[in-house]
Amino acid sequence: MNGTSLEDQVAKLQVSESVAEPTRQAMADDISTGSESSDEHNDDNVPRQELEMVISALQTTVSKATPPAAPSNDEHHNHSADELHSGDDFHESSSSTSSEYDYSQQQQQATALKGDEIVPPTPGSPPPNFEPPTRPSADDDMPDVESFSANLIALHDINLKEITANNLSPREQEKKDEPVLRAMRHLFNNRFMKAKRLFEREAKTDPLSALGLGSMAFLKAVMTADDEATDRAIEVLMVTYSLANAQIDAATKKNVGDSVVQYFASYYNYIKYSRGNSALPASPKPATRDAIKKNKITFVPNGILRAHVAKAECCLQIAILQLLQESVVGYIKCGLNLRRAYTSYSLVWQEYKRMGQTYNDFVDQDTVSGIQFGIGTVHLVLSSLPQKVLRVVSAFGWKADKHLGFALLKLCLEGRRIRSPTASLMLLAYYTVLTSLCPQILTTEYTQPAIETLLDAQRTYPNSAFFLYFAGRTSRLARNLSLSTQSFMYAIEISKNEWAEVEVLHLCSYEIGFNYMMQHNWEGASKIFETLYKERYWSPAIFRYLHGACLDMMGQRTEAILAFAEVPELVTSKSASSSSTAAMMERYVLRKVNAYQATGYQDMDMNLCALEYLCIFNAFDFMDQTLLERSLALADAALNRILEAERMEYGIRTRELLPETPPPQYYDQRGTLLLIKASLQNAMGRYRDAIIHLNWIIDHKDKLTNDKWVAPFAFWEAGVTSWGLDHKTRARSFWETASKYTKFDFEYRLAMTINLAMTRADELGVPKPEQRKKSKAKADPPPSSSGTPSPTVEEKPEESLRSSTD
């Protein structure tokens, strides 16, 4: 942008420390005093210490962690590196070593709790088996109407014609927005109903208060993944959007002076300059204080800029909800709303830059932090999307910049204003949720930033259920599953008797069940999934299937078959056409159950449903060596059962002519088990051991008729194997091959995973396969006089996976 460096761009955004420091003090005062309402309980005034203890244990885990060591026999196979090597000379010397941190400076000792408080178990010790409480079913007593109404978030009876212009000055606006700031602190300290009451005070006339309610509905929709909750959140956000628009219209109709002329000029400039490739909107020349006085320069009023930021954030939150639906229609709507959001953000950005160093005189702090949060989030969201999705979302005319997104969100966080906690959530979502899609490549990169973000949040929100949830996800990345489970249990405990109690309970219960599966605690996991099935959380069909999968791992085959038999009746009719996450998973479990039923459940010994689920969700990289060895033994036992069945069936064919028994066709079962085995070996660092299994899958990929997802996932694992052997260009080649597959289960999930890995490869400067070919061609000798071209090594990606044992 006009030759200005990224550091200069970000530096100009930062709010002055002279303003931020009193804000931090005010925030600390707010935590200690709680709400202004008279019904404040004493226990709200004592910050709980669960999050601090979890972070302390998490730091210890990370500081002691070492990458899984490859077996010693790998050291004797250096001569056979060409098994996966095809001219890739790129070696990243720093790839296996991450930055060192002085954890001792950040360690915090948990102080003793008061005698009347419940002392939680020591972080890191195995928590007791968690069983989520069973809530009353639909046949039991329903909650009273008053209680339901208190928890419902809605905006009704707003007369947009009565909305007036906001003519407050920046300092007056900051004073008036103090209740909204207090409400956000209540929201992130689990005092949800107090936050809701504060938001509702001005929600019918003030866009920022209405946005607070919309954000609460947004968080609930994300936690539940429920279509009704999503529709309700979008409805509240659309009303807020209309309210902000009405306030803008009221201001522009009444004012006909220079500021409105400049307002439309700014909009024209956005249209004119936004077609460039800059990561930030075009910036006009900043005005100096002397120029403003001498030339009587005017700016768009703060009230209009503030309403535009609120309007843009509504579009941004709606876009994220539509993105999470993972449907083509959702992606198209997401693209439209992201463009609408960026239009408003760009208009405010240009006016903000035009103010130069005097911006603090013309715009309030929350509007500035709103720009930082909005533009930063848009960049992070777009940078994480694969090309398959971006083609549907459509181009913006500029390139998404992940690092600029990080920088802007961190500036928003440091400002300690209304949007600071949501900026922390956005950073943690990227560090943990997206890293979980690609843990093999990203865990070492983002675990420490996640801990630092949690440390920062813990100072202000010491008992937040939201941050405890992300502490659990971060602990999982660090392979401390006991600590992860404990964090989720804390989040459930701390949210009881509050607005989001049920949502936090369901979300964290699923995460605990997932942890139990990784720990081979099949009984604990089965109980949780059965409870979630009875609660009708997310998808009853999926939880019934997982319940049966865990029962099967426990050896309770009959009970497992009975659970699987219920799955077809639970799959919703819209799953056949929808491409949402739940519908995609339901089609997968339905196909698995139908395959079992087609054989009369005779080949269940050749399947490991639970480990297959863990493999699909990249869970092996969160398990310790002992659990991985145990899982590998289970996979080997299942493969041996396939061999025994084949031996028996081929034996019949040696004795009988044209027997009724068909020839054995166990390609799907063997391919899935070999993929599980290769993924386990990659997670253990035994990359060479995985080669032969991946070769078998690639050789027989055309015979995988039921589990078509296995082939592209095998190419993904082949890339992980090559990456682990430091043949990174080769890894890119495999991932590109995987990305070409279409119309299989978990297609968009794998596309996201591959995009994150390829982005990381770009950041490390790993050459693309075609670049390697060109450089190799230049170095090769000219063809012989006969005209026969010189042979090349990289004809097909799969050729490099030929093991010397074949």
Side-chain angles (χ1 to χ4, degrees):
M1 186 179 63
N2 298 330
T4 309
S5 65
L6 173 60
E7 291 76 10
D8 293 334
Q9 296 170 17
V10 173
K12 292 178 182 178
L13 282 167
Q14 191 156 13
V15 180
S16 63
E17 285 298 319
S18 61
V19 177
E21 194 59 40
T23 306
R24 294 190 184 96
Q25 182 60 44
M27 187 170 292
D29 294 342
D30 188 78
I31 294 172
S32 62
T33 57
S35 173
E36 61 193 2
S37 57
S38 58
D39 61 346
E40 185 76 72
H41 297 290
N42 291 333
D43 57 351
D44 282 342
N45 297 329
V46 182
R48 298 176 60 151
Q49 299 165 13
E50 284 88 342
L51 183 56
E52 179 183 2
M53 296 173 70
V54 169
I55 294 172
S56 177
L58 179 57
Q59 288 179 305
T60 303
T61 299
V62 173
S63 63
K64 293 180 179 179
T66 54
S72 58
N73 61 352
D74 270 13
E75 297 176 3
H76 304 291
H77 285 284
N78 291 335
H79 64 279
S80 59
D82 287 339
E83 291 168 12
L84 273 99
H85 187 51
S86 54
D88 177 9
D89 297 322
F90 176 82
H91 295 277
E92 186 210 353
S93 59
S94 61
S95 62
S96 60
T97 59
S98 57
S99 300
E100 296 182 1
Y101 297 86
D102 187 7
Y103 293 102
S104 61
Q105 295 180 1
Q106 297 179 348
Q107 289 285 2
Q108 298 184 21
Q109 297 297 328
T111 57
L113 297 178
K114 294 187 176 180
D116 56 350
E117 291 189 61
I118 300 174
V119 180
T122 304
S125 62
N129 254 17
F130 171 77
E131 294 186 24
T134 304
R135 294 166 51 246
S137 64
D139 298 329
D140 297 331
D141 294 335
M142 293 294 291
D144 58 86
V145 177
E146 182 179 352
S147 174
F148 176 78
S149 177
N151 283 279
L152 182 66
I153 292 179
L155 283 173
H156 299 303
D157 304 324
I158 296 179
N159 189 345
L160 298 179
K161 295 181 180 178
E162 295 180 358
I163 301 300
T164 59
N166 178 3
N167 298 316
L168 295 177
S169 69
R171 303 293 81 78
E172 292 171 338
Q173 189 65 67
E174 290 167 2
K175 181 71 175 176
K176 188 176 181 181
D177 285 343
E178 286 180 359
V180 181
L181 185 60
R182 285 202 303 276
M184 288 298 288
R185 292 168 188 162
H186 286 317
L187 176 62
F188 283 88
N189 274 311
N190 311 315
R191 298 188 285 265
F192 303 116
M193 298 310 296
K194 291 172 183 173
K196 182 172 177 283
R197 286 196 293 270
L198 281 174
F199 286 137
E200 286 174 337
R201 287 184 185 178
E202 304 289 337
K204 293 187 177 181
T205 57
D206 177 39
L208 191 58
S209 297
L211 180 61
L213 285 178
S215 298
M216 290 184 72
F218 168 82
L219 289 171
K220 179 174 280 193
V222 171
M223 285 190 290
T224 60
D226 179 67
D227 290 340
E228 290 185 9
T230 299
D231 292 341
R232 196 176 301 120
I234 291 176
E235 180 183 352
V236 175
L237 290 167
M238 285 303 299
V239 173
T240 304
Y241 178 91
S242 300
L243 177 60
N245 237 358
Q247 194 173 81
I248 293 170
D249 291 342
T252 54
K253 287 176 182 177
K254 291 183 179 180
N255 297 320
V256 293
D258 293 337
S259 63
V260 176
V261 173
Q262 181 57 45
Y263 169 77
F264 287 110
S266 294
Y267 195 87
Y268 168 76
N269 284 334
Y270 165 70
I271 300 297
K272 180 179 179 181
Y273 293 114
S274 64
R275 297 171 185 169
N277 293 321
S278 174
L280 286 167
S283 299
K285 184 179 179 180
T288 62
R289 193 176 299 276
D290 292 338
I292 293 173
K293 293 179 180 179
K294 181 178 179 181
N295 301 324
K296 297 182 180 180
I297 299 174
T298 58
F299 302 101
V300 176
N302 181 69
I304 294 178
L305 299 178
R306 178 176 179 271
H308 264 294
V309 170
K311 187 173 85 167
E313 195 164 331
C314 289
C315 294
L316 177 58
Q317 292 189 18
I318 292 172
I320 292 174
L321 290 174
Q322 291 164 339
L323 181 67
L324 293 175
Q325 293 174 350
E326 294 190 3
S327 66
V328 175
V329 174
Y331 291 142
I332 294 173
K333 291 180 178 178
C334 169
L336 293 172
N337 278 299
L338 281 177
R339 283 200 295 275
R340 289 163 74 186
Y342 208 76
T343 298
S344 288
Y345 282 132
S346 297
L347 189 151
V348 181
W349 169 273
Q350 291 184 16
E351 197 68 3
Y352 160 72
K353 297 299 288 185
R354 202 168 68 90
M355 296 171 186
Q357 296 300 317
T358 65
Y359 72 91
N360 201 44
D361 297 337
F362 302 101
V363 63
D364 67 274
Q365 293 182 69
D366 290 306
T367 298
V368 174
S369 68
I371 310 170
Q372 296 167 349
F373 173 78
I375 296 179
T377 300
V378 170
H379 276 284
L380 269 196
V381 169
L382 286 179
S383 66
S384 65
L385 297 181
Q387 287 300 317
K388 287 184 179 181
V389 177
L390 285 177
R391 280 195 291 267
V392 180
V393 169
S394 186
F396 278 69
W398 46 267
K399 184 179 180 181
D401 187 334
K402 179 181 69 174
H403 298 289
L404 177 62
F406 283 141
L408 291 173
L409 285 172
K410 287 176 181 177
L411 285 181
C412 177
L413 189 157
E414 292 167 4
R416 308 299 175 192
R417 297 300 301 176
I418 290 172
R419 292 174 177 84
S420 292
T422 50
S424 295
L425 284 187
M426 187 58 60
L427 287 170
L428 285 169
Y430 192 97
Y431 292 147
T432 61
V433 177
L434 289 181
T435 299
S436 297
L437 290 172
C438 186
Q440 302 94 329
I441 313 299
L442 300 181
T443 296
T444 55
E445 178 74 10
Y446 290 126
T447 301
Q448 182 60 29
I451 294 174
E452 292 171 357
T453 305
L454 285 169
L455 273 171
D456 181 82
Q458 177 262 330
R459 296 186 187 105
T460 309
Y461 308 104
N463 62 335
S464 172
F466 299 117
F467 292 119
L468 276 168
Y469 169 79
F470 282 111
R473 296 294 298 258
T474 307
S475 301
R476 181 185 291 163
L477 290 177
R479 296 194 178 201
N480 192 335
L481 296 178
S482 295
L483 182 61
S484 174
T485 297
Q486 190 167 314
S487 299
F488 296 131
M489 290 169 65
Y490 285 157
I492 292 172
E493 181 66 27
I494 213 163
S495 303
K496 286 184 176 178
N497 304 317
E498 268 290 357
W499 165 75
E501 174 186 5
V502 176
E503 289 74 21
V504 173
L505 171 65
H506 285 162
L507 179 64
C508 292
S509 293
Y510 168 74
E511 299 292 352
I512 292 172
F514 193 52
N515 281 351
Y516 283 168
M517 288 181 72
M518 287 183 275
Q519 293 174 305
H520 288 215
N521 182 355
W522 307 116
E523 182 179 3
S526 68
K527 289 180 180 179
I528 290 177
F529 294 141
E530 184 177 23
T531 301
L532 292 174
Y533 157 72
K534 291 177 179 178
E535 294 277 329
R536 291 296 188 264
Y537 172 62
W538 191 42
S539 168
I542 295 171
F543 288 119
R544 204 57 175 162
Y545 175 82
L546 291 176
H547 174 59
C550 292
L551 289 174
D552 188 49
M553 298 300 290
M554 295 165 60
Q556 300 180 18
R557 177 63 53 81
T558 302
E559 292 81 357
I561 291 174
L562 291 174
F564 287 149
E566 296 180 38
V567 170
E569 299 175 0
L570 297 171
V571 174
T572 58
S573 57
K574 63 181 181 180
S575 295
S577 57
S578 174
S579 59
S580 66
T581 305
M584 172 191 66
M585 286 292 298
E586 286 182 353
R587 288 196 296 271
Y588 162 75
V589 300
L590 181 61
R591 187 155 41 250
K592 297 296 293 186
V593 170
N594 286 341
Y596 295 150
Q597 291 178 344
T599 62
Y601 294 98
Q602 294 300 310
D603 63 347
M604 283 190 65
D605 279 337
M606 306 173 191
N607 290 273
L608 296 171
C609 306
L611 293 187
E612 186 175 325
Y613 186 83
L614 294 177
C615 178
I616 290 168
F617 287 88
N618 284 326
F620 296 147
D621 278 81
F622 310 136
M623 297 161 61
D624 62 33
Q625 201 77 5
T626 303
L627 292 170
L628 292 171
E629 291 283 3
R630 195 183 306 171
S631 300
L632 195 59
L634 290 171
D636 283 333
L639 285 166
N640 287 334
R641 287 191 286 270
I642 293 179
L643 285 173
E644 292 172 5
E646 288 177 334
R647 190 178 296 114
M648 181 185 69
E649 292 172 16
Y650 278 121
I652 294 174
R653 304 185 77 79
T654 63
R655 297 189 301 271
E656 298 181 20
L657 188 63
L658 297 177
E660 295 182 359
T661 306
Q665 299 283 337
Y666 297 123
Y667 294 106
D668 285 295
Q669 294 90 333
R670 178 177 274 115
T672 303
L673 288 172
L674 289 176
L675 177 65
I676 291 171
K677 189 171 181 179
S679 182
L680 285 166
Q681 289 168 334
N682 280 340
M684 298 165 74
R686 293 163 51 179
Y687 301 110
R688 296 196 179 281
D689 291 345
I691 292 176
I692 189 170
H693 310 310
L694 295 171
N695 275 337
W696 189 96
I697 298 172
I698 293 171
D699 288 340
H700 299 84
K701 59 183 182 295
D702 295 332
K703 296 182 179 180
L704 302 173
T705 56
N706 191 54
D707 292 322
K708 295 182 179 179
W709 61 273
V710 171
F713 272 70
F715 278 108
W716 159 254
E717 289 294 342
V720 174
T721 300
S722 299
W723 189 276
L725 293 171
D726 208 20
H727 308 320
K728 293 182 168 56
T729 297
R730 191 77 235 133
R732 292 188 70 134
S733 180
F734 285 118
W735 292 335
E736 288 177 2
T737 303
S739 65
K740 295 175 183 177
Y741 279 76
T742 57
K743 297 180 181 179
F744 62 92
D745 296 329
F746 318 106
E747 177 182 350
Y748 286 110
R749 178 181 179 83
L750 183 60
M752 289 276 287
T753 300
I754 292 172
N755 179 67
L756 292 168
M758 298 282 266
T759 301
R760 180 61 181 153
D762 288 337
E763 293 171 353
L764 294 174
V766 178
K768 296 181 180 179
E770 57 269 22
Q771 293 174 337
R772 176 64 63 192
K773 285 182 180 180
K774 290 179 181 178
S775 60
K776 190 174 174 56
K778 291 180 180 179
D780 282 343
S784 61
S785 57
S786 62
T788 304
S790 302
T792 60
V793 182
E794 288 186 290
E795 292 297 334
K796 286 198 248 179
E798 49 262 51
E799 287 181 5
S800 67
L801 268 177
R802 294 293 170 261
S803 170
S804 59
T805 59
D806 285 353

